Amino acid sequence: MRTTSPPVRVRLSKEARRAQLLELGVQMLASRRLDELSTDDLAAAAGISSGLLFHYFPTKHEFHVAVARTAAEQLRARVLRDDPDADQTARLRRNLEAYVDYVAEHHGAYVWLVRGSAGGDPDMTAVYDETREAFTSWLVDAIGSVRGPVTPAVALAVRGWQAFAEEVVLVWMEGSDLTRADLLDMLERSFYRLLGLG
């Protein structure tokens, strides 16, 4: 009977170990919600004891918040990229594609970020609000570069469209006959129509 060897323990600096634990946490969120993230499973994957995990994160809550923040930072880095050689239409489409693909690959993390923040935890809500604000700023800046100064009404419409896009993508992930291309077309058309841009 074949047995598996326990993970080899590797000594890392405190910063490197913390980064490793956060990355493992984000990876595990591909298949589970943040509140289902087991510190025992994480410690085993990292090759450390469960008790040592709390040397890097004093409480489970602080660890969960740090994982959520890391996932949000990765989402922003992947989606909100600028390409000065592309026009605004091409940039929006590319960023929408990156957004949908990220949600598909990190479904558990994203569901928790969008819907888990509604649970009233102020730390989680802050992570969500920072992420939403980053997306709003990018979209408003993109519109402003084409149309000039953005009015408060347009900025408000952008926020409304973001909430619409979040919900549509999450429902699509749960099961829909709509293809990825059709989903992207709908999101793109709805954005331009809502803002009177097309």
Side-chain angles (χ1 to χ4, degrees):
M1 179 175 166
R2 185 178 177 182
T3 60
T4 57
S5 302
V8 176
R9 297 192 178 204
V10 178
R11 183 174 294 278
L12 298 174
S13 69
K14 185 171 183 177
E15 294 75 17
R17 179 69 77 188
R18 192 176 193 279
Q20 177 205 31
L21 293 169
L22 290 173
E23 184 57 35
L24 284 170
V26 172
Q27 289 172 14
M28 288 181 174
L29 287 181
S31 60
R32 67 192 85 184
R33 297 181 337 202
L34 187 60
D35 59 341
E36 297 171 338
L37 189 59
S38 163
T39 53
D40 289 338
D41 290 347
L42 186 84
I48 63 173
S49 68
S50 297
L52 188 57
L53 177 70
F54 295 104
H55 174 68
Y56 303 98
F57 304 96
T59 67
K60 187 174 182 179
H61 174 73
E62 288 184 47
F63 173 66
H64 282 174
V65 172
V67 169
R69 189 172 299 282
T70 300
E73 289 169 354
Q74 290 180 0
L75 171 64
R76 292 195 299 268
R78 182 162 166 179
V79 176
L80 301 181
R81 295 174 299 158
D82 282 321
D83 181 356
D85 296 325
D87 64 24
Q88 290 300 338
T89 301
R91 291 168 69 190
L92 176 66
R93 179 68 178 213
R94 188 209 59 212
N95 287 11
L96 282 174
E97 290 173 349
Y99 170 69
V100 169
D101 291 344
Y102 182 91
V103 175
E105 293 166 19
H106 303 85
H107 188 239
Y110 190 76
V111 168
W112 184 262
L113 180 64
V114 172
R115 294 183 174 161
S117 64
D121 183 298
D123 296 322
M124 290 296 184
T125 300
V127 173
Y128 174 72
D129 288 345
E130 289 164 12
T131 305
R132 170 68 72 86
E133 187 57 39
F135 277 84
T136 299
S137 296
W138 187 90
L139 288 166
V140 167
D141 288 346
I143 295 167
S145 70
V146 175
R147 297 183 60 182
V150 173
T151 66
V154 170
L156 187 61
V158 168
R159 285 188 174 274
W161 178 83
Q162 284 181 263
F164 163 78
E166 287 171 357
E167 188 63 19
V168 164
V169 172
L170 285 178
V171 172
W172 178 76
M173 281 293 305
E174 291 165 2
S176 170
D177 293 332
L178 211 61
T179 66
R180 175 181 177 275
D182 288 340
L183 172 71
L184 289 164
D185 288 344
M186 181 181 69
L187 290 173
E188 193 172 15
R189 286 195 306 269
S190 67
F191 178 76
Y192 289 125
R193 287 176 182 171
L194 175 67
L195 301 175
L197 299 174

